[in-house]
Amino acid sequence: MEALTTSSYHSINPSNRKLRSKRSPLISVSAVLTREKPAAAPSPRPSKYPTQSAPEKVPAPEKTNDASSRTSAATRPKARPRPTMPPAAPLSLPMAFCNALEGVINTFVDPPALRPSVDPRNVLSDNFAPVDELPPTRCPVIRGSIPPCLVGGTYIRNGPNPQHLPRGPHHLFDGDGMLHSLLFSADGDATLCSRYVQTYRYLTERDAGTAVMPNVFGAFHGIAGMARGAVTAARVLTGQMNPIQGVGLANTSLVFFAGGLYALGESDLPYAVHVDPVTGEISTIGRQDFSGRLMMGMTAHPKKDSVTGETFAFRYGPVPPFLTYFRFDPAGNKLADVPVFSVQQPSFMHDFAITENYAVFGDIQVVMKPMDMVFGNRAPVGSDQGKVPRLGVLPRYATNESEIRWFDVPGFNMMHSVNAWEEESANGEKYLVLVGPNVLSIEHMLDDLNLVHSNVEMVRINLNTGVVSRKPLSAANLDFPVIHPGYVGRKNRYAYLASMANPMPKVSGVVKLDFSRIDTGNCVVASRDFGPRCYGGEPFFVPNDGSEEEDDGYLVSYVHNEETDESTFVVMDARSPTLEIVAEVLLPDRVPYGFHGLFVSKAELLSQRRFS
């Protein structure tokens, strides 16, 4: 089997970051026993707030709705060339030895070709292929105009983008976090900047010039997983890595609270980042433990209450307590942990929900079973079909778990929540209402992203009697939900979700749900398809300034055309029955498919904290 060298890897990831439409020409991704020395290494670590001149203005083409005009190379903003970098340092003997051991495992024990769902030739093909960083680059608006509520703010999308050649199995979730930020200027144009989140893992592997830390989702499988665990232990003992400083990728989402902007990945602490409100440059400030009060990790989906200013979060893990709940006050101070010992098996708890008085957790059928890797030749994280999913309802200001109540909800596996709120009936009975996509094919959630299908449901829990009922809101495959941020934890009417394509997280379009139509069995009241071979990502809702109407605002998303290899940014009218595109920005380079995004307003950008 021919080994994939650094040079062949760059044939799918060219240094000038040009667009690529064909399947990446990966020959093989078996490990190499000897590494081809790269011709260049990354530049020295930048300062926290690098001085950045204003990005060069690129003349905008005449605005038009003619798609053919948008494919012209003459009108496309040009990406800046990659800076010259110093030579890489040679590998140390322990690192070369560990790399050789991994090469044996990847070639003879667990070749990626035997597991197509983690074969980099499949996982990193087409618009999933990684791209280089992009300094701030001006982008023209080619359709309509940017709405005033976006001007001065920035839309940031997080997602996986491996900086080095995967030497073995690679799951999409294993890529280094890269932020793609689009800053909207007052003159009507936009500035795109793409930067890695400089996690401890990213910096360690950047300085080493090669992958050092294991791919958690792709590599730990059966006997080969145990062997890779032994190699990882050897790397720790020889000083190649220090897991105490973090092993996460910060590749999942972002949150802004108490003046801080954070890139999130649930296997690690949040990483504070900074976006320059003038130039759009992105800088990583560093890993944040909130004065030593936050340990191990934090969910990638914290919930911010816009009324109280508080932020609620949790962490989960493979050792007791398997679930720990906590919150931040409006000033960003982390308060005491609330361990939840009634979760008796480590579960994959990716998201949760809050109401005005409760926090709601989904204990689903995706579980951690390390012994399956030892005795079953399987992955340590998988589905347990015999487990009954349940929802845990905990008072959101609880100081311990004594008041948590668990409700069995058979067949309801919630990976993402839409929203939750409380209601009271005419006879005084109290209800908790939860809306979320239910993953019907939960056994494929981490194994084959082509087979994941989710239907949105509304779950009603009678808090007096304990009776649970469910109703479908749509039969379509929908996920990546978003609502008006001012309604988090309070009763709302509308939600916006991505129409999922294959493999997840490719998105073929966006739909709008109206919960008031629940008795019809189909709450879809508006939709937009991105078109043939055009795919986007999670929509994000930006409310109109000063409006009191829940759906008065805009949906935003990056969209990639696989036929022309163009990436654009689209703004859709959330009140239109067709979710009409009211503005479109032509991007200078391809933005790969990713996960979750965030809009940071002008006021929030100007109020960003300067961390010490």
Side-chain angles (χ1 to χ4, degrees):
M1 182 178 291
E2 183 179 357
L4 176 62
T5 64
T6 303
S7 59
S8 61
Y9 174 64
H10 281 291
S11 71
I12 69 161
N13 187 22
S15 61
N16 63 359
R17 211 170 176 264
K18 293 294 183 183
L19 305 174
R20 301 182 287 280
S21 62
K22 299 288 191 290
R23 181 172 291 273
S24 305
L26 285 168
I27 303 169
S28 170
V29 193
S30 62
V32 286
L33 300 184
T34 58
R35 182 176 62 91
E36 178 184 325
K37 185 180 293 184
S43 56
R45 189 180 309 179
S47 61
K48 288 184 178 179
Y49 302 102
T51 302
Q52 182 75 25
S53 59
E56 180 184 357
K57 173 83 171 180
V58 178
E62 181 181 354
K63 296 179 183 180
T64 176
N65 289 332
D66 183 5
S68 63
S69 67
R70 300 198 294 273
T71 64
S72 170
T75 62
R76 182 177 300 161
K78 295 182 179 179
R80 301 179 185 180
R82 192 177 186 180
T84 303
M85 300 178 182
L91 291 180
S92 65
L93 183 59
M95 186 173 293
F97 178 71
C98 289
N99 288 355
L101 289 178
E102 285 192 351
V104 172
I105 298 169
N106 296 332
T107 303
F108 301 107
V109 182
D110 185 27
L114 297 182
R115 293 191 287 143
S117 63
V118 291
D119 186 342
R121 293 174 297 183
N122 301 324
V123 178
L124 300 179
S125 64
D126 300 319
N127 196 41
F128 289 100
V131 294
D132 288 326
E133 291 187 318
L134 180 74
T137 304
R138 293 294 286 240
C139 313
V141 177
I142 58 173
R143 184 196 306 196
S145 59
I146 300 299
C149 61
L150 271 64
V151 173
T154 186
Y155 170 73
I156 317 171
R157 215 281 325 279
N158 202 346
N161 194 85
Q163 69 163 322
H164 289 301
L165 155 70
R167 290 198 298 262
H170 179 88
H171 194 283
L172 179 66
F173 297 171
D174 288 326
D176 297 279
M178 177 175 274
L179 306 179
H180 303 274
S181 174
L182 194 64
L183 178 71
F184 306 101
S185 59
D187 62 7
D189 281 346
T191 299
L192 178 68
C193 181
S194 300
R195 296 293 189 194
Y196 281 106
V197 182
Q198 295 192 354
T199 62
Y200 169 75
R201 174 178 180 138
Y202 168 83
L203 294 174
T204 298
E205 298 185 338
R206 184 198 69 177
D207 295 342
T210 184
V212 175
M213 299 191 185
N215 288 337
V216 175
F217 287 97
F220 289 104
H221 186 276
I223 300 300
M226 291 189 290
R228 292 188 180 102
V231 174
T232 299
R235 291 190 187 275
V236 173
L237 294 174
T238 56
Q240 298 174 50
M241 57 176 282
N242 181 3
I244 294 177
Q245 297 188 46
V247 297
L249 298 156
N251 68 0
T252 308
S253 66
L254 302 108
V255 66
F256 185 93
F257 69 93
L261 178 61
Y262 303 94
L264 305 176
E266 53 214 60
S267 61
D268 206 342
L269 302 182
Y271 274 83
V273 296
H274 179 270
V275 177
D276 190 294
V278 176
T279 67
E281 179 62 81
I282 305 171
S283 305
T284 300
I285 298 170
R287 192 168 179 252
Q288 300 298 311
D289 64 3
F290 295 85
S291 301
R293 296 187 179 96
L294 184 59
M295 299 179 294
M296 296 175 61
M298 185 175 96
T299 175
H301 292 286
K303 306 301 179 187
K304 182 178 177 180
D305 188 320
S306 63
V307 175
T308 68
E310 298 166 295
T311 300
F312 299 83
F314 70 96
R315 67 174 176 268
Y316 67 93
V319 296
F322 301 124
L323 171 65
T324 301
Y325 168 68
F326 51 89
R327 59 190 172 96
F328 300 86
D329 68 18
N333 299 306
K334 182 190 173 293
L335 304 180
D337 284 347
V338 180
V340 181
F341 290 99
S342 53
V343 176
Q344 299 177 355
Q345 181 182 20
S347 298
F348 190 74
M349 294 185 177
H350 182 64
D351 199 356
F352 77 131
I354 62 168
T355 70
E356 292 185 69
N357 295 293
Y358 298 101
V360 187
F361 303 94
D363 187 10
I364 66 173
Q365 290 177 304
V366 177
V367 299
M368 302 178 190
K369 299 185 288 184
M371 290 299 101
D372 277 11
M373 183 174 67
V374 178
F375 300 109
N377 197 34
R378 295 192 294 268
V381 179
S383 63
D384 181 356
Q385 298 296 311
K387 178 181 178 179
V388 177
R390 57 182 186 162
L391 294 174
V393 179
L394 176 72
R396 79 177 200 174
Y397 295 110
T399 56
N400 58 65
E401 70 160 332
S402 62
E403 295 183 70
I404 194 170
R405 299 175 64 188
W406 289 99
F407 301 88
D408 288 349
V409 192
F412 185 72
N413 289 287
M414 180 185 71
M415 291 297 295
H416 293 117
S417 70
V418 176
N419 197 24
W421 61 85
E422 300 160 47
E423 293 181 356
E424 186 170 344
S425 66
N427 62 1
E429 290 188 320
K430 295 183 178 181
Y431 290 85
L432 188 146
V433 181
L434 171 71
V435 179
N438 177 22
V439 183
L440 304 179
S441 49
I442 195 65
E443 67 273 16
H444 300 299
M445 186 62 228
L446 298 177
D447 178 53
D448 191 341
L449 298 179
N450 285 290
L451 301 177
V452 177
H453 188 100
S454 301
N455 291 159
V456 182
E457 297 185 21
M458 180 178 286
V459 180
R460 293 177 61 87
I461 302 174
N462 187 317
L463 296 177
N464 296 94
T465 66
V467 174
V468 179
S469 61
R470 296 158 57 187
K471 284 188 177 182
L473 304 186
S474 172
N477 184 12
L478 305 176
D479 204 341
F480 288 172
V482 66
I483 65 170
H484 187 304
Y487 286 80
V488 171
R490 289 164 175 81
K491 185 174 182 177
N492 69 306
R493 177 177 175 180
Y494 301 108
Y496 309 90
L497 295 98
S499 297
M500 304 307 297
N502 292 322
M504 191 274 286
K506 286 176 70 170
V507 170
S508 61
V510 181
V511 303
K512 176 182 181 179
L513 300 184
D514 181 348
F515 300 153
S516 68
R517 293 172 49 89
I518 188 170
D519 291 333
T520 69
N522 183 11
C523 294
V524 176
V525 292
S527 63
R528 166 158 292 275
D529 188 277
F530 292 136
R533 298 200 64 191
C534 291
Y535 301 98
E538 172 198 64
F540 193 85
F541 180 85
V542 182
N544 246 330
D545 293 334
S547 176
E548 296 183 358
E549 298 293 330
E550 181 187 343
D551 64 342
D552 185 6
Y554 301 92
L555 298 169
V556 298
S557 177
Y558 291 123
V559 175
H560 182 70
N561 187 323
E562 294 187 347
E563 185 67 33
T564 65
D565 265 340
E566 282 187 341
S567 285
T568 60
F569 172 84
V570 297
V571 182
M572 296 165 277
D573 181 356
R575 306 189 86 173
S576 164
T578 61
L579 303 180
E580 178 188 3
I581 295 178
V582 297
E584 185 175 14
V585 180
L586 180 62
L587 305 180
D589 290 301
R590 182 172 61 80
V591 173
Y593 304 126
F595 298 138
H596 303 286
L598 178 72
F599 178 75
V600 184
S601 69
K602 178 181 179 179
E604 290 171 329
L605 284 180
L606 294 174
S607 69
Q608 289 176 95
R609 292 175 56 189
R610 297 279 174 165
F611 291 81
S612 58

